[in-house]
Amino acid sequence: MTEVRVRDVMTRQVVYLPMGTPLDEAARAMRDADIGDVVVTDGSNLLGMVTDRDIVVRAVAEGRDARQTTLGSVTTREIVMIEQNSTATEAATLMRERAVRRILVCDTDRQLVGIVSLGDLAIRLDPSSALGEISEASPDR
């Protein structure tokens, strides 16, 4: 049996926003695209990623104004990336090792082509697990 590849489970829709984007605008972009994360850029450079949870924990819970606070100030700058031809098991191992729930996915030229989440993996690898069932029901994986 052929093992599932990251390219088969990843989300291909990637939303890029500049680091100066206010958090309220980023939150609306996530809502409108039905996703839980955006990739943050500094010009043509990849700066990192911000998730809906980052906005809540690093800004809202701290009483910061979402209209005045920018993505650059809450961005997770450690970029965890995996090649799209890697196995889903390799992605799960990398998530565990790096303690992350989402990994950026690149092609062989290191160009970003998607994002794979823990929910994406759960749905594909173990859909009857509690996480698989919750993730399947949730639009934000």
Side-chain angles (χ1 to χ4, degrees), residues 15-57:
V15 174
Y16 298 89
L17 292 174
M19 62 187 254
T21 304
L23 297 184
D24 64 332
E25 186 178 322
R28 283 191 298 276
M30 287 183 207
R31 178 199 62 204
D32 294 347
D34 198 22
I35 56 175
D37 51 68
V38 294
V39 173
V40 182
T41 58
D42 180 8
S44 61
N45 298 317
L46 188 65
L47 186 64
M49 183 186 305
V50 170
T51 66
D52 47 5
R53 184 176 189 281
D54 292 330
I55 292 172
V56 170
V57 172

mmCIF file of all heavy atoms in Angstrom, residues 15-57:
data_model
loop_
_atom_site.group_PDB
_atom_site.id
_atom_site.type_symbol
_atom_site.label_atom_id
_atom_site.label_comp_id
_atom_site.label_asym_id
_atom_site.label_seq_id
_atom_site.Cartn_x
_atom_site.Cartn_y
_atom_site.Cartn_z
ATOM 1 N N VAL A 15 -3.201 32.225 1.924
ATOM 2 C CA VAL A 15 -3.450 33.658 1.913
ATOM 3 C C VAL A 15 -2.195 34.349 2.444
ATOM 4 O O VAL A 15 -1.730 34.033 3.539
ATOM 5 C CB VAL A 15 -4.686 34.033 2.761
ATOM 6 C CG1 VAL A 15 -4.840 35.539 2.867
ATOM 7 C CG2 VAL A 15 -5.935 33.403 2.158
ATOM 8 N N TYR A 16 -1.661 35.249 1.645
ATOM 9 C CA TYR A 16 -0.473 36.023 2.014
ATOM 10 C C TYR A 16 -0.904 37.438 2.387
ATOM 11 O O TYR A 16 -1.685 38.051 1.661
ATOM 12 C CB TYR A 16 0.484 36.138 0.822
ATOM 13 C CG TYR A 16 1.013 34.824 0.316
ATOM 14 C CD1 TYR A 16 0.327 34.103 -0.650
ATOM 15 C CD2 TYR A 16 2.222 34.327 0.791
ATOM 16 C CE1 TYR A 16 0.816 32.906 -1.131
ATOM 17 C CE2 TYR A 16 2.708 33.127 0.314
ATOM 18 C CZ TYR A 16 2.014 32.416 -0.648
ATOM 19 O OH TYR A 16 2.499 31.225 -1.114
ATOM 20 N N LEU A 17 -0.368 37.946 3.493
ATOM 21 C CA LEU A 17 -0.644 39.322 3.897
ATOM 22 C C LEU A 17 0.664 39.966 4.354
ATOM 23 O O LEU A 17 1.490 39.310 4.993
ATOM 24 C CB LEU A 17 -1.663 39.374 5.040
ATOM 25 C CG LEU A 17 -3.089 38.936 4.698
ATOM 26 C CD1 LEU A 17 -3.937 38.891 5.961
ATOM 27 C CD2 LEU A 17 -3.708 39.851 3.666
ATOM 28 N N PRO A 18 0.835 41.253 4.058
ATOM 29 C CA PRO A 18 2.042 41.952 4.501
ATOM 30 C C PRO A 18 2.067 42.130 6.013
ATOM 31 O O PRO A 18 1.015 42.208 6.665
ATOM 32 C CB PRO A 18 1.972 43.301 3.798
ATOM 33 C CG PRO A 18 0.713 43.353 3.046
ATOM 34 C CD PRO A 18 -0.026 42.064 3.225
ATOM 35 N N MET A 19 3.259 42.214 6.567
ATOM 36 C CA MET A 19 3.425 42.308 8.019
ATOM 37 C C MET A 19 2.759 43.531 8.626
ATOM 38 O O MET A 19 2.432 43.530 9.807
ATOM 39 C CB MET A 19 4.903 42.270 8.397
ATOM 40 C CG MET A 19 5.714 43.418 7.842
ATOM 41 S SD MET A 19 7.467 43.194 8.151
ATOM 42 C CE MET A 19 7.711 44.390 9.435
ATOM 43 N N GLY A 20 2.482 44.552 7.853
ATOM 44 C CA GLY A 20 1.831 45.749 8.363
ATOM 45 C C GLY A 20 0.316 45.676 8.397
ATOM 46 O O GLY A 20 -0.352 46.626 8.808
ATOM 47 N N THR A 21 -0.243 44.547 8.014
ATOM 48 C CA THR A 21 -1.695 44.379 7.993
ATOM 49 C C THR A 21 -2.250 44.355 9.419
ATOM 50 O O THR A 21 -1.758 43.600 10.259
ATOM 51 C CB THR A 21 -2.077 43.056 7.292
ATOM 52 O OG1 THR A 21 -1.520 43.045 5.980
ATOM 53 C CG2 THR A 21 -3.584 42.869 7.226
ATOM 54 N N PRO A 22 -3.273 45.160 9.712
ATOM 55 C CA PRO A 22 -3.894 45.123 11.050
ATOM 56 C C PRO A 22 -4.555 43.766 11.300
ATOM 57 O O PRO A 22 -5.045 43.116 10.372
ATOM 58 C CB PRO A 22 -4.942 46.235 10.998
ATOM 59 C CG PRO A 22 -4.574 47.084 9.836
ATOM 60 C CD PRO A 22 -3.862 46.194 8.855
ATOM 61 N N LEU A 23 -4.593 43.361 12.560
ATOM 62 C CA LEU A 23 -5.149 42.062 12.914
ATOM 63 C C LEU A 23 -6.619 41.920 12.551
ATOM 64 O O LEU A 23 -7.055 40.836 12.157
ATOM 65 C CB LEU A 23 -4.955 41.789 14.404
ATOM 66 C CG LEU A 23 -3.515 41.687 14.887
ATOM 67 C CD1 LEU A 23 -3.490 41.308 16.356
ATOM 68 C CD2 LEU A 23 -2.707 40.718 14.057
ATOM 69 N N ASP A 24 -7.388 42.993 12.666
ATOM 70 C CA ASP A 24 -8.810 42.872 12.319
ATOM 71 C C ASP A 24 -8.992 42.548 10.841
ATOM 72 O O ASP A 24 -9.855 41.758 10.466
ATOM 73 C CB ASP A 24 -9.610 44.108 12.737
ATOM 74 C CG ASP A 24 -9.214 45.384 12.029
ATOM 75 O OD1 ASP A 24 -8.043 45.527 11.611
ATOM 76 O OD2 ASP A 24 -10.087 46.267 11.909
ATOM 77 N N GLU A 25 -8.139 43.119 10.004
ATOM 78 C CA GLU A 25 -8.193 42.827 8.561
ATOM 79 C C GLU A 25 -7.772 41.374 8.296
ATOM 80 O O GLU A 25 -8.383 40.678 7.478
ATOM 81 C CB GLU A 25 -7.276 43.799 7.813
ATOM 82 C CG GLU A 25 -7.361 43.687 6.317
ATOM 83 C CD GLU A 25 -6.466 44.703 5.626
ATOM 84 O OE1 GLU A 25 -6.360 45.852 6.107
ATOM 85 O OE2 GLU A 25 -5.866 44.348 4.591
ATOM 86 N N ALA A 26 -6.750 40.917 8.992
ATOM 87 C CA ALA A 26 -6.303 39.530 8.838
ATOM 88 C C ALA A 26 -7.395 38.563 9.288
ATOM 89 O O ALA A 26 -7.632 37.539 8.639
ATOM 90 C CB ALA A 26 -5.021 39.297 9.631
ATOM 91 N N ALA A 27 -8.060 38.884 10.388
ATOM 92 C CA ALA A 27 -9.144 38.027 10.887
ATOM 93 C C ALA A 27 -10.273 37.937 9.863
ATOM 94 O O ALA A 27 -10.834 36.859 9.640
ATOM 95 C CB ALA A 27 -9.658 38.559 12.219
ATOM 96 N N ARG A 28 -10.599 39.057 9.233
ATOM 97 C CA ARG A 28 -11.650 39.031 8.197
ATOM 98 C C ARG A 28 -11.210 38.198 6.995
ATOM 99 O O ARG A 28 -12.014 37.461 6.416
ATOM 100 C CB ARG A 28 -12.020 40.448 7.772
ATOM 101 C CG ARG A 28 -12.921 41.159 8.779
ATOM 102 C CD ARG A 28 -13.487 42.458 8.227
ATOM 103 N NE ARG A 28 -12.451 43.435 7.912
ATOM 104 C CZ ARG A 28 -11.896 44.262 8.794
ATOM 105 N NH1 ARG A 28 -12.281 44.243 10.062
ATOM 106 N NH2 ARG A 28 -10.968 45.127 8.423
ATOM 107 N N ALA A 29 -9.934 38.292 6.628
ATOM 108 C CA ALA A 29 -9.421 37.494 5.506
ATOM 109 C C ALA A 29 -9.520 36.002 5.825
ATOM 110 O O ALA A 29 -9.900 35.206 4.965
ATOM 111 C CB ALA A 29 -7.976 37.884 5.198
ATOM 112 N N MET A 30 -9.212 35.630 7.072
ATOM 113 C CA MET A 30 -9.331 34.228 7.480
ATOM 114 C C MET A 30 -10.791 33.784 7.426
ATOM 115 O O MET A 30 -11.100 32.695 6.921
ATOM 116 C CB MET A 30 -8.783 34.033 8.897
ATOM 117 C CG MET A 30 -7.290 34.102 9.004
ATOM 118 S SD MET A 30 -6.803 33.778 10.717
ATOM 119 C CE MET A 30 -5.256 34.665 10.789
ATOM 120 N N ARG A 31 -11.677 34.614 7.956
ATOM 121 C CA ARG A 31 -13.107 34.290 7.945
ATOM 122 C C ARG A 31 -13.609 34.115 6.510
ATOM 123 O O ARG A 31 -14.274 33.139 6.181
ATOM 124 C CB ARG A 31 -13.905 35.392 8.635
ATOM 125 C CG ARG A 31 -15.417 35.141 8.604
ATOM 126 C CD ARG A 31 -16.221 36.392 8.845
ATOM 127 N NE ARG A 31 -15.960 37.375 7.809
ATOM 128 C CZ ARG A 31 -16.130 38.687 7.952
ATOM 129 N NH1 ARG A 31 -16.544 39.190 9.099
ATOM 130 N NH2 ARG A 31 -15.887 39.511 6.961
ATOM 131 N N ASP A 32 -13.269 35.073 5.659
ATOM 132 C CA ASP A 32 -13.768 35.058 4.286
ATOM 133 C C ASP A 32 -13.257 33.856 3.487
ATOM 134 O O ASP A 32 -13.953 33.326 2.633
ATOM 135 C CB ASP A 32 -13.407 36.354 3.568
ATOM 136 C CG ASP A 32 -14.116 37.566 4.162
ATOM 137 O OD1 ASP A 32 -15.064 37.384 4.964
ATOM 138 O OD2 ASP A 32 -13.702 38.708 3.848
ATOM 139 N N ALA A 33 -12.009 33.433 3.774
ATOM 140 C CA ALA A 33 -11.424 32.293 3.067
ATOM 141 C C ALA A 33 -11.691 30.972 3.794
ATOM 142 O O ALA A 33 -11.308 29.911 3.301
ATOM 143 C CB ALA A 33 -9.916 32.502 2.909
ATOM 144 N N ASP A 34 -12.339 31.046 4.971
ATOM 145 C CA ASP A 34 -12.657 29.866 5.772
ATOM 146 C C ASP A 34 -11.393 29.080 6.125
ATOM 147 O O ASP A 34 -11.322 27.863 5.962
ATOM 148 C CB ASP A 34 -13.669 28.972 5.048
ATOM 149 C CG ASP A 34 -14.343 27.994 5.988
ATOM 150 O OD1 ASP A 34 -14.368 28.250 7.212
ATOM 151 O OD2 ASP A 34 -14.827 26.949 5.498
ATOM 152 N N ILE A 35 -10.384 29.822 6.607
ATOM 153 C CA ILE A 35 -9.107 29.228 7.000
ATOM 154 C C ILE A 35 -8.726 29.747 8.381
ATOM 155 O O ILE A 35 -9.312 30.699 8.875
ATOM 156 C CB ILE A 35 -7.979 29.560 5.989
ATOM 157 C CG1 ILE A 35 -7.842 31.072 5.814
ATOM 158 C CG2 ILE A 35 -8.232 28.852 4.658
ATOM 159 C CD1 ILE A 35 -6.681 31.514 4.930
ATOM 160 N N GLY A 36 -7.735 29.139 8.995
ATOM 161 C CA GLY A 36 -7.320 29.527 10.331
ATOM 162 C C GLY A 36 -5.932 30.110 10.409
ATOM 163 O O GLY A 36 -5.372 30.224 11.492
ATOM 164 N N ASP A 37 -5.359 30.472 9.260
ATOM 165 C CA ASP A 37 -4.001 30.999 9.266
ATOM 166 C C ASP A 37 -3.724 31.831 8.025
ATOM 167 O O ASP A 37 -4.398 31.678 7.008
ATOM 168 C CB ASP A 37 -2.984 29.852 9.322
ATOM 169 C CG ASP A 37 -3.273 28.805 8.249
ATOM 170 O OD1 ASP A 37 -3.111 29.096 7.057
ATOM 171 O OD2 ASP A 37 -3.669 27.689 8.607
ATOM 172 N N VAL A 38 -2.747 32.730 8.142
ATOM 173 C CA VAL A 38 -2.251 33.481 6.991
ATOM 174 C C VAL A 38 -0.735 33.456 7.026
ATOM 175 O O VAL A 38 -0.120 33.355 8.100
ATOM 176 C CB VAL A 38 -2.756 34.949 6.966
ATOM 177 C CG1 VAL A 38 -4.259 35.007 6.753
ATOM 178 C CG2 VAL A 38 -2.350 35.707 8.208
ATOM 179 N N VAL A 39 -0.148 33.529 5.857
ATOM 180 C CA VAL A 39 1.303 33.625 5.736
ATOM 181 C C VAL A 39 1.650 35.107 5.685
ATOM 182 O O VAL A 39 1.043 35.865 4.928
ATOM 183 C CB VAL A 39 1.808 32.872 4.486
ATOM 184 C CG1 VAL A 39 3.291 33.111 4.271
ATOM 185 C CG2 VAL A 39 1.511 31.383 4.627
ATOM 186 N N VAL A 40 2.606 35.501 6.501
ATOM 187 C CA VAL A 40 2.976 36.902 6.632
ATOM 188 C C VAL A 40 4.252 37.165 5.834
ATOM 189 O O VAL A 40 5.217 36.408 5.928
ATOM 190 C CB VAL A 40 3.182 37.279 8.116
ATOM 191 C CG1 VAL A 40 3.523 38.752 8.262
ATOM 192 C CG2 VAL A 40 1.921 36.933 8.919
ATOM 193 N N THR A 41 4.221 38.257 5.068
ATOM 194 C CA THR A 41 5.362 38.598 4.222
ATOM 195 C C THR A 41 5.962 39.945 4.614
ATOM 196 O O THR A 41 5.295 40.800 5.190
ATOM 197 C CB THR A 41 4.950 38.656 2.740
ATOM 198 O OG1 THR A 41 3.910 39.628 2.583
ATOM 199 C CG2 THR A 41 4.462 37.300 2.250
ATOM 200 N N ASP A 42 7.216 40.090 4.285
ATOM 201 C CA ASP A 42 7.941 41.349 4.428
ATOM 202 C C ASP A 42 8.492 41.639 3.040
ATOM 203 O O ASP A 42 9.541 41.109 2.663
ATOM 204 C CB ASP A 42 9.058 41.206 5.458
ATOM 205 C CG ASP A 42 9.850 42.493 5.644
ATOM 206 O OD1 ASP A 42 9.449 43.531 5.086
ATOM 207 O OD2 ASP A 42 10.875 42.450 6.344
ATOM 208 N N GLY A 43 7.729 42.400 2.267
ATOM 209 C CA GLY A 43 8.084 42.579 0.859
ATOM 210 C C GLY A 43 7.899 41.249 0.147
ATOM 211 O O GLY A 43 6.850 40.620 0.260
ATOM 212 N N SER A 44 8.946 40.780 -0.520
ATOM 213 C CA SER A 44 8.854 39.495 -1.225
ATOM 214 C C SER A 44 9.358 38.342 -0.360
ATOM 215 O O SER A 44 9.400 37.201 -0.812
ATOM 216 C CB SER A 44 9.650 39.561 -2.535
ATOM 217 O OG SER A 44 11.011 39.822 -2.249
ATOM 218 N N ASN A 45 9.724 38.629 0.883
ATOM 219 C CA ASN A 45 10.244 37.597 1.782
ATOM 220 C C ASN A 45 9.162 37.032 2.681
ATOM 221 O O ASN A 45 8.300 37.767 3.173
ATOM 222 C CB ASN A 45 11.364 38.168 2.664
ATOM 223 C CG ASN A 45 12.532 38.642 1.848
ATOM 224 O OD1 ASN A 45 12.957 37.995 0.911
ATOM 225 N ND2 ASN A 45 13.044 39.804 2.207
ATOM 226 N N LEU A 46 9.233 35.753 2.926
ATOM 227 C CA LEU A 46 8.335 35.079 3.839
ATOM 228 C C LEU A 46 8.813 35.368 5.265
ATOM 229 O O LEU A 46 9.952 35.088 5.614
ATOM 230 C CB LEU A 46 8.394 33.575 3.566
ATOM 231 C CG LEU A 46 7.411 32.682 4.257
ATOM 232 C CD1 LEU A 46 5.998 32.978 3.789
ATOM 233 C CD2 LEU A 46 7.752 31.229 3.964
ATOM 234 N N LEU A 47 7.939 35.972 6.072
ATOM 235 C CA LEU A 47 8.305 36.332 7.445
ATOM 236 C C LEU A 47 7.888 35.248 8.434
ATOM 237 O O LEU A 47 8.591 34.956 9.391
ATOM 238 C CB LEU A 47 7.647 37.659 7.817
ATOM 239 C CG LEU A 47 8.010 38.265 9.155
ATOM 240 C CD1 LEU A 47 9.482 38.643 9.204
ATOM 241 C CD2 LEU A 47 7.165 39.501 9.409
ATOM 242 N N GLY A 48 6.720 34.646 8.221
ATOM 243 C CA GLY A 48 6.228 33.620 9.133
ATOM 244 C C GLY A 48 4.761 33.367 8.929
ATOM 245 O O GLY A 48 4.225 33.585 7.841
ATOM 246 N N MET A 49 4.084 32.952 10.007
ATOM 247 C CA MET A 49 2.675 32.607 9.924
ATOM 248 C C MET A 49 1.955 33.155 11.161
ATOM 249 O O MET A 49 2.533 33.232 12.240
ATOM 250 C CB MET A 49 2.517 31.089 9.880
ATOM 251 C CG MET A 49 1.093 30.624 9.718
ATOM 252 S SD MET A 49 0.867 28.816 9.848
ATOM 253 C CE MET A 49 1.996 28.196 8.639
ATOM 254 N N VAL A 50 0.694 33.514 10.968
ATOM 255 C CA VAL A 50 -0.175 33.903 12.075
ATOM 256 C C VAL A 50 -1.442 33.066 11.976
ATOM 257 O O VAL A 50 -2.040 32.950 10.902
ATOM 258 C CB VAL A 50 -0.522 35.406 12.048
ATOM 259 C CG1 VAL A 50 -1.613 35.737 13.054
ATOM 260 C CG2 VAL A 50 0.711 36.250 12.320
ATOM 261 N N THR A 51 -1.835 32.499 13.111
ATOM 262 C CA THR A 51 -3.067 31.710 13.165
ATOM 263 C C THR A 51 -4.139 32.503 13.903
ATOM 264 O O THR A 51 -3.833 33.490 14.585
ATOM 265 C CB THR A 51 -2.833 30.380 13.904
ATOM 266 O OG1 THR A 51 -2.545 30.657 15.272
ATOM 267 C CG2 THR A 51 -1.712 29.572 13.263
ATOM 268 N N ASP A 52 -5.360 32.043 13.784
ATOM 269 C CA ASP A 52 -6.444 32.668 14.541
ATOM 270 C C ASP A 52 -6.154 32.598 16.039
ATOM 271 O O ASP A 52 -6.415 33.544 16.784
ATOM 272 C CB ASP A 52 -7.793 32.044 14.195
ATOM 273 C CG ASP A 52 -7.805 30.511 14.191
ATOM 274 O OD1 ASP A 52 -6.781 29.873 14.561
ATOM 275 O OD2 ASP A 52 -8.842 29.952 13.813
ATOM 276 N N ARG A 53 -5.555 31.527 16.470
ATOM 277 C CA ARG A 53 -5.188 31.387 17.887
ATOM 278 C C ARG A 53 -4.127 32.417 18.285
ATOM 279 O O ARG A 53 -4.182 32.976 19.385
ATOM 280 C CB ARG A 53 -4.682 29.968 18.160
ATOM 281 C CG ARG A 53 -4.375 29.719 19.625
ATOM 282 C CD ARG A 53 -3.953 28.256 19.871
ATOM 283 N NE ARG A 53 -3.870 27.974 21.285
ATOM 284 C CZ ARG A 53 -2.856 28.316 22.066
ATOM 285 N NH1 ARG A 53 -1.821 28.961 21.564
ATOM 286 N NH2 ARG A 53 -2.862 28.012 23.352
ATOM 287 N N ASP A 54 -3.162 32.680 17.412
ATOM 288 C CA ASP A 54 -2.147 33.706 17.695
ATOM 289 C C ASP A 54 -2.812 35.055 17.947
ATOM 290 O O ASP A 54 -2.425 35.791 18.856
ATOM 291 C CB ASP A 54 -1.162 33.849 16.530
ATOM 292 C CG ASP A 54 -0.271 32.641 16.329
ATOM 293 O OD1 ASP A 54 0.033 31.939 17.315
ATOM 294 O OD2 ASP A 54 0.114 32.410 15.167
ATOM 295 N N ILE A 55 -3.796 35.386 17.132
ATOM 296 C CA ILE A 55 -4.492 36.668 17.288
ATOM 297 C C ILE A 55 -5.174 36.734 18.653
ATOM 298 O O ILE A 55 -5.065 37.733 19.362
ATOM 299 C CB ILE A 55 -5.499 36.899 16.137
ATOM 300 C CG1 ILE A 55 -4.735 37.103 14.821
ATOM 301 C CG2 ILE A 55 -6.400 38.088 16.437
ATOM 302 C CD1 ILE A 55 -5.618 37.142 13.583
ATOM 303 N N VAL A 56 -5.808 35.640 19.049
ATOM 304 C CA VAL A 56 -6.507 35.621 20.332
ATOM 305 C C VAL A 56 -5.515 35.682 21.499
ATOM 306 O O VAL A 56 -5.653 36.510 22.402
ATOM 307 C CB VAL A 56 -7.408 34.366 20.449
ATOM 308 C CG1 VAL A 56 -7.950 34.209 21.854
ATOM 309 C CG2 VAL A 56 -8.540 34.447 19.429
ATOM 310 N N VAL A 57 -4.513 34.821 21.487
ATOM 311 C CA VAL A 57 -3.597 34.707 22.631
ATOM 312 C C VAL A 57 -2.614 35.868 22.715
ATOM 313 O O VAL A 57 -2.350 36.384 23.799
ATOM 314 C CB VAL A 57 -2.850 33.355 22.558
ATOM 315 C CG1 VAL A 57 -1.755 33.270 23.609
ATOM 316 C CG2 VAL A 57 -3.830 32.203 22.724
#
